Amino acid sequence: MAQKTGKKTDDAAIASPTKQYLLRDIFSQTWKEYAKNFIPILIVTIAVYVPINIVLSLLPLETLFENYGLLKGFKYTMAVIGLSELLFGVIATMATALIIKASLENKTVNPVESLKEAVLRWPAMLWTMLVVGVLLIVLYLLFIIPGILYSTYWQFAVFAVIFYGKSGKGALDYSKKVVLGRWWTVFLYSFFAGVFAFIDGIIAGIIFLIPSLVFPENILVELISDTMIDIAIAY
């Protein structure tokens, strides 16, 4: 009984934080932690994305352009890359989040243990992502406004999986409880974070794809370039 009460107390404390950070503080703290934990994040990113990029480099994706033309071929290629990174790249995201959490709590940062824990929670994450994806598709197709509303309410579902062992509807409910009372703040912060991530991805892509253009048809160069982009956008 005491354990159950303690869990409720922890949930209430997390859902009602005493301090609200400004957007600039979040970016500043994020950069500080990224720089401080760069080596562990680097290890995690390489461990996850190098195998992904190797498999992608060996797939005959050029046949998509031959069979479907330039535009459709590009769309299908990006779909294959995006799906593979969504399903497997999320392990690196989870491990990175665990690294940052350990750092903020002044605990020993161990990238190997973070990866192991991320892999253990990976099935729950995939299930949660599937539930969120299906529900949001329905909401956006039927009612645009509720789709926007709940995409913000469920913004922290992934962290409920990573940090608190929840999954599926439990993770969604937990995230909504965290967002309640601060929907507009979460929406605006998420919007600006998305814009920043988009710009960061474009800049990283331009910089690290240059070697691939200079040395075309070189799998090793493409592998290094793709992995460097993954490392850059881990921020």
Side-chain angles (χ1 to χ4, degrees):
M1 181 70 179
Q3 183 178 1
K4 186 176 181 181
T5 304
K7 184 178 183 299
K8 287 184 176 179
T9 302
D10 291 342
D11 286 358
I14 293 166
S16 303
T18 57
K19 182 177 181 180
Q20 182 167 304
Y21 291 90
L22 296 175
L23 188 61
R24 65 172 180 270
D25 297 328
I26 295 175
F27 280 114
S28 175
Q29 185 67 25
T30 301
W31 173 252
K32 179 182 176 181
E33 291 299 326
Y34 177 79
K36 177 182 175 182
N37 299 285
F38 178 75
I39 298 301
I41 292 173
L42 177 66
I43 293 172
V44 162
T45 305
I46 290 175
V48 174
Y49 278 102
V50 166
I52 293 175
N53 291 333
I54 289 175
V55 172
L56 288 175
S57 67
L58 296 176
L59 292 178
L61 296 178
E62 63 276 2
T63 58
L64 293 175
F65 291 93
E66 296 173 1
N67 295 332
Y68 298 101
L70 182 61
L71 292 179
K72 283 190 176 181
F74 177 77
K75 182 174 70 173
Y76 293 149
T77 298
M78 295 307 297
V80 171
I81 294 173
L83 183 61
S84 63
E85 296 199 351
L86 176 66
L87 294 178
F88 301 102
V90 70
I91 296 175
T93 302
M94 295 169 69
T96 299
L98 290 167
I99 287 171
I100 299 302
K101 182 174 184 289
S103 176
L104 290 172
E105 294 175 349
N106 295 316
K107 296 180 180 178
T108 301
V109 174
N110 188 324
V112 176
E113 290 301 318
S114 296
L115 270 173
K116 288 181 180 179
E117 191 170 351
V119 171
L120 288 175
R121 299 185 186 185
W122 183 48
M125 178 63 77
L126 293 181
W127 170 242
T128 303
M129 290 166 59
L130 177 63
V131 172
V132 171
V134 171
L135 291 178
L136 285 181
I137 287 174
V138 173
L139 287 171
Y140 273 111
L141 287 178
L142 298 179
F143 314 101
I144 299 297
I145 300 301
I148 297 173
L149 181 68
Y150 277 89
S151 64
T152 302
Y153 274 136
W154 297 336
Q155 191 74 228
F156 299 108
V158 293
F159 297 106
V161 176
I162 299 170
F163 299 141
Y164 309 116
K166 300 182 182 296
S167 66
K169 187 177 182 298
L172 271 59
D173 292 341
Y174 190 87
S175 177
K176 185 179 179 181
K177 182 170 63 175
V178 173
V179 175
L180 277 174
R182 54 183 76 90
W183 187 93
W184 277 107
T185 300
V186 174
F187 174 77
L188 292 173
Y189 281 19
S190 300
F191 174 78
F192 286 114
V195 171
F196 179 84
F198 178 74
I199 296 173
D200 181 38
I202 290 178
I203 294 174
I206 292 174
I207 293 174
F208 293 114
L209 282 179
I210 291 176
S212 297
L213 299 175
V214 177
F215 304 99
E217 303 300 328
N218 189 310
I219 293 180
L220 180 59
V221 172
E222 291 180 2
L223 176 62
I224 294 174
S225 297
D226 291 341
T227 304
M228 291 301 294
I229 292 173
D230 294 324
I231 292 170
I233 62 177
Y235 170 66

